[in-house]
Amino acid sequence: MDKNEKRMLMDKVLRELEDTRNTETSVVKKLAQLESENINLGDRLLEKKLPEIFNLVDDALSATIDLQSVYTAARDKFVKDNKLDEIHEEQ
């Protein structure tokens, strides 16, 4: 794999991380909505389990955001170190 192909694959990974982040954000919102609806319902099972699931997904979201940030910096460094931004601008 040449350097430009690697940059393109890194870009794809970043797009997929963004998609993952958006999906996890949606799941967090849905779980919060369910917790809110359970205030009126008062179901003990939901009251016990929803916060546990919410915390797991929220932790995954935080980890995804952190990875996305670190990987973006790594991708940007790779592009700069290999002067691929100049190649990309010429195309």
Side-chain angles (χ1 to χ4, degrees), residues 31-77:
L31 288 166
Q33 181 181 353
L34 287 169
E35 286 182 307
S36 176
E37 290 171 356
N38 192 47
I39 290 172
N40 292 330
L41 185 60
D43 188 291
R44 294 232 186 260
L45 177 61
L46 294 176
E47 190 175 308
K48 179 181 178 190
K49 291 296 184 179
L50 285 175
E52 292 173 13
I53 297 169
F54 180 92
N55 288 333
L56 289 170
V57 176
D58 192 50
D59 288 347
L61 175 58
S62 294
T64 300
I65 290 168
D66 290 346
L67 176 58
Q68 185 180 21
S69 176
V70 170
Y71 197 73
T72 297
R75 182 257 182 220
D76 291 349
K77 182 179 181 330

Side-chain angles (χ1 to χ4, degrees), residues 1 16-17 32 36 38 40 42 45 66 79-80 90:
M1 171 180 311
E16 290 174 357
L17 281 170
S36 176
N38 192 47
N40 292 330
L45 177 61
D66 290 346
V79 168
K80 183 179 179 185
E90 292 173 7

